[in-house]
Amino acid sequence: MPNDGLRTVAEMIRPESRITVLTGAGVSAASGVPTFRGPDGLWRNRRPETLATAEAFARDPKTVWEWYNWRRQVLSTKQPNRAHQVLASWSRRFSGFTLVTQNVDGLHERAGTLNLIRFHGSIWEVLCWNRCANSPVRWWNDQIPLEALPPLCPHCGGMLRPGVVWFGESIDAGVIEKSVAALDCDIFFTIGTSALVYPAAALSIEAKRRGAYTVELNLEATPSSHAVDLAVHGPAEELLDELNALTNPS
Ligand code: BJW
Ligand code: ZN
Protein backbone atom coordinates (compact mmCIF):
# COMPACT_ATOMS: atom_id res chain seq x y z
CA MET A 1 0.00 0.00 0.00
CA PRO A 2 1.73 3.22 -1.14
CA ASN A 3 2.40 5.93 1.41
CA ASP A 4 -0.28 8.70 1.21
CA GLY A 5 2.34 11.46 1.36
CA LEU A 6 4.27 9.95 -1.52
CA ARG A 7 1.07 9.63 -3.52
CA THR A 8 0.39 13.35 -2.98
CA VAL A 9 3.86 14.29 -4.29
CA ALA A 10 3.62 11.84 -7.18
CA GLU A 11 0.39 13.53 -8.30
CA MET A 12 2.19 16.90 -8.39
CA ILE A 13 5.05 15.70 -10.57
CA ARG A 14 4.64 16.55 -14.28
CA PRO A 15 7.10 16.05 -17.15
CA GLU A 16 7.73 19.81 -17.15
CA SER A 17 8.17 20.08 -13.34
CA ARG A 18 11.21 21.92 -12.07
CA ILE A 19 12.61 19.61 -9.41
CA THR A 20 15.53 20.39 -7.10
CA VAL A 21 16.92 17.83 -4.67
CA LEU A 22 19.32 18.33 -1.76
CA THR A 23 20.94 15.13 -0.55
CA GLY A 24 23.00 14.20 2.49
CA ALA A 25 24.85 11.21 3.88
CA GLY A 26 21.65 9.18 4.45
CA VAL A 27 21.34 8.69 0.68
CA SER A 28 24.61 6.73 0.70
CA ALA A 29 23.83 4.74 3.86
CA ALA A 30 22.34 1.81 1.92
CA SER A 31 25.60 1.61 -0.05
CA GLY A 32 27.36 0.90 3.24
CA VAL A 33 28.87 4.39 3.59
CA PRO A 34 28.76 5.50 7.23
CA THR A 35 26.87 8.75 7.92
CA PHE A 36 28.43 11.53 9.97
CA ARG A 37 26.22 11.79 13.02
CA GLY A 38 24.29 8.51 13.31
CA PRO A 39 24.93 5.79 15.92
CA ASP A 40 27.51 4.21 13.60
CA GLY A 41 28.56 7.54 12.14
CA LEU A 42 32.04 8.43 10.97
CA TRP A 43 32.38 10.96 13.69
CA ARG A 44 31.19 8.81 16.55
CA ASN A 45 33.52 9.40 19.51
CA ARG A 46 35.23 12.23 17.68
CA ARG A 47 34.34 15.88 17.54
CA PRO A 48 34.07 16.97 13.87
CA GLU A 49 36.22 20.01 14.60
CA THR A 50 39.12 17.70 15.42
CA LEU A 51 39.33 16.55 11.78
CA ALA A 52 37.19 18.66 9.43
CA THR A 53 38.68 22.12 9.89
CA ALA A 54 41.59 23.97 8.35
CA GLU A 55 42.97 24.49 11.87
CA ALA A 56 43.06 20.74 12.51
CA PHE A 57 44.79 20.21 9.17
CA ALA A 58 47.39 22.92 9.84
CA ARG A 59 48.09 21.33 13.26
CA ASP A 60 48.23 17.68 12.17
CA PRO A 61 47.95 17.13 8.40
CA LYS A 62 49.05 13.50 8.60
CA THR A 63 46.21 12.46 10.94
CA VAL A 64 43.63 14.34 8.88
CA TRP A 65 44.93 12.74 5.66
CA GLU A 66 44.91 9.28 7.31
CA TRP A 67 41.18 9.77 7.92
CA TYR A 68 40.52 10.85 4.32
CA ASN A 69 42.77 8.12 2.92
CA TRP A 70 40.80 5.54 4.93
CA ARG A 71 37.48 6.96 3.75
CA ARG A 72 38.65 6.91 0.12
CA GLN A 73 39.59 3.24 0.52
CA VAL A 74 36.18 2.42 2.05
CA LEU A 75 34.35 4.34 -0.72
CA SER A 76 36.25 2.58 -3.50
CA THR A 77 34.53 -0.66 -2.45
CA LYS A 78 30.97 0.81 -2.47
CA GLN A 79 28.40 1.09 -5.24
CA PRO A 80 25.52 3.52 -5.86
CA ASN A 81 22.20 2.27 -4.44
CA ARG A 82 18.59 2.58 -5.58
CA ALA A 83 18.33 6.17 -4.24
CA HIS A 84 21.28 7.29 -6.40
CA GLN A 85 19.85 5.41 -9.39
CA VAL A 86 16.36 6.93 -9.17
CA LEU A 87 17.80 10.44 -8.84
CA ALA A 88 20.12 9.83 -11.80
CA SER A 89 17.15 8.68 -13.89
CA TRP A 90 15.19 11.82 -12.88
CA SER A 91 18.15 13.96 -13.96
CA ARG A 92 17.65 12.57 -17.48
CA ARG A 93 13.85 12.55 -17.37
CA PHE A 94 13.17 16.13 -16.18
CA SER A 95 14.83 18.99 -18.05
CA GLY A 96 14.36 21.27 -15.02
CA PHE A 97 16.17 18.97 -12.59
CA THR A 98 19.07 19.93 -10.30
CA LEU A 99 20.73 17.78 -7.66
CA VAL A 100 22.63 19.62 -4.95
CA THR A 101 24.58 17.15 -2.86
CA GLN A 102 26.42 17.67 0.39
CA ASN A 103 28.06 14.29 -0.15
CA VAL A 104 31.70 14.21 -1.14
CA ASP A 105 31.67 10.45 -1.87
CA GLY A 106 31.21 10.54 -5.69
CA LEU A 107 28.30 8.05 -5.73
CA HIS A 108 25.84 10.41 -7.48
CA GLU A 109 28.47 10.90 -10.20
CA ARG A 110 29.01 7.16 -10.51
CA ALA A 111 25.23 6.65 -10.89
CA GLY A 112 25.39 9.00 -13.91
CA THR A 113 23.59 12.03 -12.46
CA LEU A 114 23.34 15.09 -14.72
CA ASN A 115 23.14 18.65 -13.43
CA LEU A 116 24.91 17.85 -10.17
CA ILE A 117 26.22 20.51 -7.79
CA ARG A 118 28.78 19.39 -5.18
CA PHE A 119 28.01 21.75 -2.32
CA HIS A 120 30.81 20.49 -0.03
CA GLY A 121 33.32 19.54 -2.75
CA SER A 122 34.68 16.08 -3.45
CA ILE A 123 36.88 13.64 -1.56
CA TRP A 124 38.31 12.71 -5.01
CA GLU A 125 39.74 16.16 -5.60
CA VAL A 126 42.81 17.81 -4.12
CA LEU A 127 44.21 21.30 -4.07
CA CYS A 128 47.49 22.89 -3.10
CA TRP A 129 47.50 23.96 0.56
CA ASN A 130 49.71 26.92 -0.42
CA ARG A 131 47.48 27.68 -3.44
CA CYS A 132 50.71 28.03 -5.40
CA ALA A 133 50.57 30.04 -8.58
CA ASN A 134 51.41 27.12 -10.88
CA SER A 135 48.74 24.69 -9.69
CA PRO A 136 45.14 24.54 -10.95
CA VAL A 137 42.54 25.59 -8.34
CA ARG A 138 41.67 21.90 -7.81
CA TRP A 139 42.19 18.66 -9.65
CA TRP A 140 41.05 15.02 -9.66
CA ASN A 141 43.07 12.44 -7.72
CA ASP A 142 41.64 8.94 -7.22
CA GLN A 143 44.86 7.19 -6.25
CA ILE A 144 44.24 4.52 -3.59
CA PRO A 145 46.04 4.41 -1.26
CA LEU A 146 47.80 7.73 -1.56
CA GLU A 147 51.54 7.13 -1.82
CA ALA A 148 52.48 9.75 0.79
CA LEU A 149 50.54 11.24 3.69
CA PRO A 150 50.21 14.13 3.28
CA PRO A 151 50.43 13.92 -0.53
CA LEU A 152 52.62 16.60 -2.09
CA CYS A 153 51.87 19.26 -4.69
CA PRO A 154 53.57 18.39 -8.02
CA HIS A 155 53.96 22.12 -8.70
CA CYS A 156 55.56 23.47 -5.52
CA GLY A 157 56.38 20.40 -3.40
CA GLY A 158 54.17 21.67 -0.55
CA MET A 159 51.22 19.78 0.95
CA LEU A 160 47.99 18.98 -0.85
CA ARG A 161 44.66 19.15 0.99
CA PRO A 162 41.39 17.30 0.26
CA GLY A 163 39.00 19.18 -2.07
CA VAL A 164 36.21 19.32 0.51
CA VAL A 165 34.63 22.19 2.43
CA TRP A 166 35.58 22.20 6.09
CA PHE A 167 33.77 23.95 8.96
CA GLY A 168 34.38 27.68 8.92
CA GLU A 169 35.14 27.64 5.18
CA SER A 170 32.95 29.38 2.65
CA ILE A 171 31.05 27.48 0.01
CA ASP A 172 32.47 28.23 -3.47
CA ALA A 173 30.79 31.36 -4.87
CA GLY A 174 29.90 29.65 -8.19
CA VAL A 175 28.37 26.72 -6.30
CA ILE A 176 26.24 29.06 -4.20
CA GLU A 177 25.11 30.94 -7.29
CA LYS A 178 24.00 27.77 -9.12
CA SER A 179 22.35 26.34 -5.99
CA VAL A 180 20.41 29.53 -5.31
CA ALA A 181 19.22 29.63 -8.92
CA ALA A 182 17.87 26.08 -8.47
CA LEU A 183 15.70 27.20 -5.53
CA ASP A 184 13.24 28.64 -8.03
CA CYS A 185 11.56 25.29 -8.55
CA ASP A 186 8.18 23.57 -8.22
CA ILE A 187 9.20 20.80 -5.83
CA PHE A 188 12.23 20.85 -3.51
CA PHE A 189 13.25 17.55 -1.92
CA THR A 190 15.59 17.29 1.08
CA ILE A 191 16.77 13.69 1.34
CA GLY A 192 18.90 11.90 3.96
CA THR A 193 20.38 14.91 5.70
CA SER A 194 20.25 15.81 9.40
CA ALA A 195 19.68 19.46 8.35
CA LEU A 196 22.14 20.61 11.00
CA VAL A 197 24.87 22.05 8.81
CA TYR A 198 24.52 25.53 7.31
CA PRO A 199 24.17 27.06 4.80
CA ALA A 200 22.94 23.81 3.15
CA ALA A 201 20.17 23.45 5.75
CA ALA A 202 18.76 26.84 4.79
CA LEU A 203 18.18 25.94 1.13
CA SER A 204 14.84 24.25 1.71
CA ILE A 205 13.53 27.20 3.75
CA GLU A 206 14.48 29.60 0.96
CA ALA A 207 12.97 27.34 -1.71
CA LYS A 208 9.68 27.31 0.22
CA ARG A 209 9.80 31.10 0.59
CA ARG A 210 10.13 31.29 -3.20
CA GLY A 211 7.03 29.14 -3.67
CA ALA A 212 8.33 25.55 -3.95
CA TYR A 213 6.46 22.63 -2.40
CA THR A 214 9.04 21.23 0.03
CA VAL A 215 9.41 17.56 0.89
CA GLU A 216 11.74 15.85 3.33
CA LEU A 217 12.59 12.15 3.03
CA ASN A 218 14.53 10.83 6.02
CA LEU A 219 14.67 7.84 8.32
CA GLU A 220 13.65 10.10 11.18
CA ALA A 221 12.46 13.62 12.02
CA THR A 222 15.01 16.46 11.72
CA PRO A 223 14.97 20.13 12.76
CA SER A 224 13.59 20.86 9.25
CA SER A 225 10.65 18.46 9.47
CA HIS A 226 8.26 21.01 10.92
CA ALA A 227 9.24 23.62 8.30
CA VAL A 228 8.59 21.55 5.16
CA ASP A 229 5.22 20.97 3.50
CA LEU A 230 5.58 17.20 3.78
CA ALA A 231 7.93 14.98 5.79
CA VAL A 232 7.97 11.25 5.02
CA HIS A 233 9.96 8.93 7.25
CA GLY A 234 11.67 5.85 5.91
CA PRO A 235 14.79 4.72 4.03
CA ALA A 236 15.48 7.02 1.08
CA GLU A 237 16.27 4.11 -1.23
CA GLU A 238 12.81 2.59 -0.60
CA LEU A 239 10.85 5.86 -0.59
CA LEU A 240 12.46 7.02 -3.85
CA ASP A 241 11.85 3.66 -5.48
CA GLU A 242 8.17 3.84 -4.44
CA LEU A 243 7.80 7.46 -5.55
CA ASN A 244 9.45 6.67 -8.86
CA ALA A 245 7.02 3.78 -9.43
CA LEU A 246 4.05 6.04 -8.59
CA THR A 247 5.18 8.57 -11.20
CA ASN A 248 5.70 5.85 -13.82
CA PRO A 249 2.39 3.93 -13.70
CA SER A 250 2.66 0.83 -15.90
C1 BJW B 1 18.74 8.21 6.17
C2 BJW B 1 19.14 6.93 5.89
C3 BJW B 1 18.44 6.31 4.87
C4 BJW B 1 20.36 7.58 7.48
N1 BJW B 1 17.49 6.97 4.24
N2 BJW B 1 17.77 8.85 5.53
C5 BJW B 1 24.28 29.07 11.00
C6 BJW B 1 23.94 28.58 12.24
C7 BJW B 1 24.83 27.81 12.99
C8 BJW B 1 26.10 27.52 12.50
C9 BJW B 1 26.45 27.99 11.28
C10 BJW B 1 25.56 28.75 10.54
N3 BJW B 1 26.15 29.07 9.36
C11 BJW B 1 27.38 28.51 9.33
C12 BJW B 1 27.60 27.86 10.48
C13 BJW B 1 28.85 27.09 10.82
C14 BJW B 1 28.91 25.72 10.20
C15 BJW B 1 27.71 24.91 10.69
O1 BJW B 1 26.74 24.69 9.99
N4 BJW B 1 27.77 24.42 11.91
C16 BJW B 1 26.67 23.63 12.48
C17 BJW B 1 27.11 22.18 12.62
C18 BJW B 1 26.24 24.24 13.75
N5 BJW B 1 28.93 25.80 8.75
C19 BJW B 1 30.06 26.04 8.07
O2 BJW B 1 31.11 26.27 8.64
C20 BJW B 1 29.96 26.07 6.57
N6 BJW B 1 30.60 27.23 6.04
C21 BJW B 1 30.06 28.45 6.13
O3 BJW B 1 29.00 28.64 6.67
O4 BJW B 1 30.83 29.45 5.58
C22 BJW B 1 30.57 30.79 5.99
C23 BJW B 1 31.56 31.04 7.11
C24 BJW B 1 32.84 31.43 6.80
C25 BJW B 1 33.76 31.66 7.82
C26 BJW B 1 33.37 31.48 9.16
C27 BJW B 1 32.08 31.05 9.45
C28 BJW B 1 31.17 30.82 8.42
C29 BJW B 1 30.72 24.87 5.97
C30 BJW B 1 30.15 23.58 6.36
C31 BJW B 1 31.03 22.44 5.79
C32 BJW B 1 30.54 21.08 6.25
N7 BJW B 1 31.51 20.11 5.89
C33 BJW B 1 31.24 18.72 6.18
C34 BJW B 1 32.55 17.93 5.98
C35 BJW B 1 32.83 17.75 4.50
C36 BJW B 1 34.14 17.04 4.29
C37 BJW B 1 34.12 15.61 4.74
O5 BJW B 1 33.26 14.80 4.33
O6 BJW B 1 35.01 15.26 5.50
O7 BJW B 1 30.20 18.22 5.31
S1 BJW B 1 30.55 18.48 7.79
C38 BJW B 1 29.52 17.10 7.34
O8 BJW B 1 28.15 17.47 7.60
C39 BJW B 1 29.67 16.97 5.82
C40 BJW B 1 28.24 16.77 5.41
O9 BJW B 1 28.08 17.11 4.05
C41 BJW B 1 27.49 17.66 6.37
C42 BJW B 1 26.02 17.34 6.51
O10 BJW B 1 25.87 16.06 7.06
P1 BJW B 1 24.65 15.15 6.56
O11 BJW B 1 24.84 14.79 5.14
O12 BJW B 1 23.38 15.79 6.91
O13 BJW B 1 24.91 13.81 7.40
P2 BJW B 1 24.44 13.40 8.89
O14 BJW B 1 25.21 12.23 9.30
O15 BJW B 1 24.46 14.60 9.77
O16 BJW B 1 22.90 13.00 8.73
C43 BJW B 1 22.52 11.83 8.02
C44 BJW B 1 21.00 11.80 7.95
O17 BJW B 1 20.62 10.73 7.13
C45 BJW B 1 20.31 11.61 9.31
O18 BJW B 1 19.27 12.58 9.43
C46 BJW B 1 19.71 10.20 9.23
O19 BJW B 1 18.44 10.10 9.89
C47 BJW B 1 19.54 10.07 7.74
N8 BJW B 1 19.59 8.70 7.24
N9 BJW B 1 20.18 6.60 6.80
C48 BJW B 1 17.20 8.25 4.63
N10 BJW B 1 18.75 5.02 4.53
ZN1 ZN C 1 51.53 23.88 -4.86
Side-chain angles (χ1 to χ4, degrees):
M1 187 68 180
N3 178 297
D4 285 348
L6 292 184
R7 195 182 281 284
T8 306
V9 190
E11 282 167 4
M12 282 181 198
I13 296 179
R14 306 260 175 281
E16 66 279 11
S17 294
R18 295 167 306 161
I19 299 175
T20 299
V21 179
L22 172 70
T23 60
V27 158
S28 296
S31 297
V33 180
T35 61
F36 288 90
R37 298 173 182 82
D40 301 314
L42 275 176
W43 289 348
R44 194 180 179 205
N45 302 326
R46 293 180 193 258
R47 293 175 57 226
E49 308 79 51
T50 62
L51 293 169
T53 67
E55 292 74 22
F57 186 74
R59 204 167 42 238
D60 188 355
K62 187 163 188 290
T63 298
V64 172
W65 262 118
E66 278 167 359
W67 188 52
Y68 282 99
N69 192 40
W70 167 70
R71 286 173 58 192
R72 286 160 59 107
Q73 278 175 305
V74 170
L75 286 171
S76 70
T77 67
K78 308 300 181 194
Q79 301 303 326
N81 65 58
R82 188 68 190 135
H84 299 105
Q85 287 162 2
V86 168
L87 293 172
S89 75
W90 286 7
S91 77
R92 289 186 287 272
R93 182 170 147 200
F94 301 101
S95 57
F97 180 91
T98 305
L99 177 47
V100 182
T101 187
Q102 296 171 84
N103 299 345
V104 301
D105 57 28
L107 291 177
H108 284 303
E109 292 90 324
R110 282 170 53 198
T113 310
L114 307 176
N115 236 353
L116 176 68
I117 301 173
R118 289 191 285 251
F119 206 75
H120 291 158
S122 172
I123 201 167
W124 303 109
E125 288 186 339
V126 292
L127 50 144
C128 177
W129 175 244
N130 299 324
R131 311 214 171 207
C132 69
N134 292 333
S135 70
V137 176
R138 53 177 62 237
W139 65 94
W140 196 256
N141 174 323
D142 56 8
Q143 188 179 52
I144 298 172
L146 288 157
E147 59 191 26
L149 296 179
L152 300 179
C153 175
H155 305 283
C156 71
M159 289 190 293
L160 294 178
R161 60 160 284 178
V164 300
V165 181
W166 284 326
F167 283 112
E169 293 186 325
S170 302
I171 310 301
D172 177 87
V175 163
I176 288 282
E177 194 182 330
K178 282 191 269 176
S179 306
V180 168
L183 301 180
D184 287 316
C185 59
D186 300 309
I187 308 175
F188 185 97
F189 288 93
T190 306
I191 310 180
T193 172
S194 58
L196 291 172
V197 173
Y198 285 81
L203 295 177
S204 148
I205 298 160
E206 179 58 16
K208 184 174 164 73
R209 200 189 65 77
R210 293 178 183 210
Y213 185 81
T214 50
V215 183
E216 178 184 72
L217 307 181
N218 198 304
L219 268 189
E220 53 191 44
T222 75
S224 276
S225 303
H226 70 280
V228 292
D229 293 303
L230 174 72
V232 183
H233 298 142
E237 59 283 4
E238 291 177 18
L239 296 180
L240 280 170
D241 189 51
E242 195 175 332
L243 183 56
N244 188 52
L246 286 169
T247 64
N248 276 313
S250 48

